[in-house]
Amino acid sequence: MERQRNISEFILLGLSYDQNIQIFCFVLFLFSYVALLAGNLLILVSIRCSPLFHQPMYYFLIHLSSMDICYTSTVTPKLIVDLLGGTKTISYDNCMLQLFAVHFFGSIEVFILTVMAFDRYAAICKPLHYMLIMNRTRCHLLVLAAWAGGALHSFPQLMMTIQLPFCGPNEIDHYFCDIFSLLKVACTDTYITGVLVVANSGMVTLVTFIVLFASYVIILFSLRHHSDEGRHKALSTCGSHITVVILFFGPSIFAYLRPPATFPEDKIFALFYTVIAPMFNPLIYTLRNREMKNAMRRVWCQKPCLMHSLKEIVIFFKRASTIILGAMEV
């Protein structure tokens, strides 16, 4: 790899050269990141300390909130710091790590959203067999499959990128190490690599979106046989899921399901699936959910459970970071 490149760092051109715009973006994204952390930690603790933890939907919601934090934390802190600095640089190794982490956590989030759609299908279309279908063992296996799918998606992306020669220039027209931006600065013909990237990222995005769309069409079609109360409750839950799917998949499809190229709009669309959509997830899943709001009221008065759950969350993120860093060193 050392023989294939003669640069040790990349320069990120960021969102804008205008100082006023950078200050505005700094305030906006700092607020967004703090809101994302607070909202998702609120969900994690509230579910973990309440009986909702034993329900499959909220079990998956815990993992979705964890992925929101991990996924956004690979990009947003660096973006916030760069908005206050001068030259925005990132080392080659950290760039490759960021590329891997973005695709790893992002694809896990995609697969968990798909699993949650399957859970809603089982709950609404097969209510009598729901607890049998979505037993805890199967829930564990589905989450494990989502992590395995994330690894199968992200490692090929990383392997294709680290084999590219980078001879200069080293300026990336983005605010993080996105794969299409890296292909643009590689000093070789990247057409085949670009096609493979589209086949990988694009097809993962398209297939999962089709599966999600089909599952919700089936769910909505089956609701005509339910009572008005059951229909209202199901529509409220599915409405939250559909909103999250649209916010995440709309920009993702534009970014990856197209010929391998870069466009000025890429950075704007990337903000939606790296910052904005994860920030709105806690609001979407809590404000429209009576069970979550009731659980939050009960949980935050129980200090022993609260402290125990916070310790578990810290241990989880430490283990996740150790696994990722160990994989990168290998």
Side-chain angles (χ1 to χ4, degrees):
M1 188 166 61
E2 291 294 334
R3 291 194 299 269
Q4 292 180 330
R5 61 183 174 89
N6 55 15
I7 61 174
S8 59
E9 66 180 17
F10 294 100
I11 298 174
L12 301 171
L13 298 183
L15 295 172
S16 173
Y17 294 106
D18 189 290
Q19 188 66 28
N20 293 326
I21 294 178
Q22 291 191 49
I23 294 173
F24 171 78
C25 289
F26 169 80
V27 175
L28 175 63
F29 297 134
L30 179 62
F31 170 79
S32 300
Y33 186 59
V34 171
L36 179 143
L37 292 178
N40 281 294
L41 286 173
L42 181 65
I43 288 177
L44 288 170
V45 174
S46 299
I47 294 176
R48 187 63 185 84
C49 291
S50 71
L52 294 180
F53 179 70
H54 301 289
Q55 297 184 29
M57 183 180 79
Y58 296 100
Y59 172 78
F60 296 132
L61 183 55
I62 278 185
H63 288 275
L64 181 66
S65 294
S66 302
M67 290 305 103
D68 273 342
I69 295 174
C70 293
Y71 176 57
T72 307
S73 295
T74 62
V75 174
T76 309
K78 170 70 174 168
L79 170 62
I80 293 171
V81 172
D82 285 346
L83 286 169
L84 286 183
T87 303
K88 307 168 182 63
T89 61
I90 183 171
S91 68
Y92 177 88
D93 293 335
N94 286 339
C95 183
M96 295 301 109
L97 177 60
Q98 187 182 62
L99 173 71
F100 169 79
V102 166
H103 283 272
F104 181 63
F105 291 122
S107 55
I108 292 176
E109 184 162 350
V110 165
F111 294 133
I112 289 179
L113 285 171
T114 308
V115 169
M116 292 177 75
F118 173 72
D119 171 74
R120 290 300 84 201
Y121 164 79
I124 295 171
C125 300
K126 308 285 184 181
L128 299 179
H129 302 91
Y130 174 64
M131 294 311 298
L132 180 63
I133 295 173
M134 300 304 296
N135 57 64
R136 187 44 62 103
T137 300
R138 182 160 292 154
C139 290
H140 290 324
L141 290 174
L142 287 171
V143 171
L144 182 61
W147 279 76
L152 288 174
H153 164 71
S154 54
F155 273 107
Q157 303 277 64
L158 177 65
M159 293 299 105
M160 286 187 289
T161 308
I162 62 176
Q163 294 179 34
L164 294 173
F166 295 99
C167 314
N170 63 339
E171 292 184 342
I172 299 176
D173 188 17
H174 218 302
Y175 62 89
F176 71 97
C177 288
D178 185 50
I179 190 161
F180 284 146
S181 300
L182 287 168
L183 291 179
K184 189 175 181 180
V185 299
C187 51
T188 186
D189 183 10
T190 59
Y191 177 77
I192 299 299
T193 305
V195 171
L196 293 175
V197 169
V198 171
N200 187 336
S201 297
M203 293 311 297
V204 166
T205 304
L206 179 62
V207 171
T208 51
F209 179 76
I210 291 174
V211 170
L212 287 167
F213 180 79
S215 64
Y216 284 119
V217 167
I218 294 172
I219 290 171
L220 294 174
F221 184 76
S222 68
L223 287 178
R224 57 186 184 148
H225 302 299
H226 288 64
S227 64
D228 290 340
E229 182 181 354
R231 190 182 300 117
H232 176 75
K233 184 177 180 181
L235 285 173
S236 178
T237 303
C238 291
S240 301
H241 293 193
I242 292 170
T243 304
V244 171
V245 168
I246 291 173
L247 283 173
F248 189 87
F249 276 89
S252 299
I253 289 173
F254 173 83
Y256 294 107
L257 195 63
R258 69 181 196 207
T262 57
F263 298 100
E265 298 83 6
D266 286 351
K267 290 183 278 190
I268 304 300
F269 279 94
L271 287 173
F272 276 90
Y273 60 79
T274 57
V275 181
I276 297 174
M279 179 189 69
F280 278 110
N281 283 359
L283 295 175
I284 292 169
Y285 281 110
T286 55
L287 294 181
R288 294 173 56 88
N289 192 315
R290 184 179 299 174
E291 289 181 328
M292 274 298 304
K293 288 186 283 189
N294 292 335
M296 281 187 249
R297 293 191 191 100
R298 291 193 301 267
V299 165
W300 289 90
C301 297
Q302 301 176 10
K303 293 183 180 179
C305 181
L306 180 61
M307 295 304 297
H308 175 71
S309 186
L310 286 173
K311 289 180 181 178
E312 287 190 347
I313 291 170
V314 170
I315 292 172
F316 168 80
F317 285 115
K318 282 184 177 179
R319 288 177 178 173
S321 61
T322 301
I323 292 172
I324 293 169
L325 292 174
M328 290 300 298
E329 290 175 0
V330 173

